[in-house]
């Protein structure tokens, strides 16, 4: 990336402490260590323009104060071909992200123009047979469960690792 271009931003949803620990342990166990630079996360946007980071951060701070935590339903597992993810269901989160996408439409990458399919990746970039075996094992043990999305997390993408810019608690009145 040229030195005069700001690195892109990534927006994720931070989980309640117990479930963040659960998913982080799965990542430590199943994600290739050389590629596991990040805590477990649910990505809302993959590539927002770094040049407007202050405006994005200001808007997210306003929204976080007006938005209550999201009640999330972990509803299944997804086979990714070379990894495994837990699928997450939350119509309120999808609607929240759609409102942001509409406001940020001129900035969105092709990937971010597609609708949100919430998930938490616990394994990626492994041989397909390894991913298939984990997916099958986890499916046999799986029972749906609830958790909470408690923070908006804004990151700067640095070509592998991410740099934290802001952690904004969702503190709006309850649903």
């Amino acid at each position: 990336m040229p030195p005069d271009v700001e690195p892109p931003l990534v927006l994720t949803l931070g989980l309640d402490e117990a479930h963040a620990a659960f998913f982080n342990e799965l990542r430590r166990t199943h994600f290739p260590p050389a590629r596991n630079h990040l805590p477990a996360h649910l990505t809302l946007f993959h590539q927002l323009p770094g040049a407007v980071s202050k405006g994005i951060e200001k808007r997210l701070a306003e929204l976080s104060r007006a938005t209550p935590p999201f009640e999330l339903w972990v509803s299944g597992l997804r086979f990714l071909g070379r990894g495994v993810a837990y699928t997450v269901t939350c119509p309120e989160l999808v609607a929240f992200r759609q409102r942001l996408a509409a406001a940020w439409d001129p900035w969105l990458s092709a990937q971010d123009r597609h609708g949100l399919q919430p998930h938490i990746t616990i394994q990626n970039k492994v041989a397909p047979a390894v991913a298939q075996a984990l997916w099958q094992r986890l499916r046999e043990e799986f029972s749906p469960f609830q958790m909470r999305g408690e923070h908006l997390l804004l990151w700067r993408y640095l070509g592998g690792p991410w740099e934290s810019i802001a952690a904004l608690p969702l503190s709006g009145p309850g649903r």
Side-chain angles (χ1 to χ4, degrees):
M1 177 174 307
D4 60 335
V5 174
E6 290 285 325
L9 306 176
V10 181
L11 179 63
T12 67
L13 180 68
L15 309 175
D16 65 79
E17 190 174 326
H19 289 96
F22 168 76
F23 287 114
N24 282 325
E25 181 58 29
L26 286 170
R27 283 176 68 91
R28 273 191 292 281
T29 303
H30 301 293
F31 217 94
R35 295 182 175 271
N36 193 13
H37 304 290
L38 307 168
H41 56 280
L42 191 159
T43 303
L44 299 175
F45 290 93
H46 297 85
Q47 188 174 344
L48 297 169
V52 293
S53 64
K54 293 298 179 199
I56 289 173
E57 187 176 349
K58 180 180 178 199
R59 179 66 180 129
L60 292 175
E62 294 165 357
L63 285 172
S64 69
R65 289 189 297 271
T67 304
F70 292 100
E71 296 299 327
L72 307 169
W73 185 249
V74 181
S75 54
L77 290 146
R78 182 185 305 172
F79 178 63
L80 304 174
R82 298 180 60 86
V84 176
Y86 281 76
T87 57
V88 176
T89 303
C90 179
E92 296 86 2
L93 178 63
V94 172
F96 174 84
R97 195 239 183 232
Q98 285 173 334
R99 287 190 300 275
L100 283 174
W104 294 343
D105 183 69
W107 300 337
L108 297 183
S109 66
Q111 183 178 22
D112 285 332
R113 286 185 189 282
H114 289 88
L116 179 65
Q117 296 179 2
H119 65 279
I120 299 166
T121 302
I122 55 121
Q123 180 188 61
N124 205 4
K125 312 278 197 270
V126 300
V130 171
Q132 180 83 23
L134 177 62
W135 177 66
Q136 288 178 343
R137 183 172 62 80
L138 291 175
R139 275 188 13 191
E140 291 170 8
E141 303 167 358
F142 181 77
S143 291
F145 59 92
Q146 279 191 286
M147 63 181 181
R148 287 167 58 98
E150 297 184 341
H151 303 85
L152 296 177
L153 303 170
L154 189 61
W155 308 83
R156 183 171 286 113
Y157 178 71
L158 301 175
W162 299 357
E163 174 187 22
S164 176
I165 296 175
L168 306 160
L170 297 171
S171 56
R175 297 192 192 288

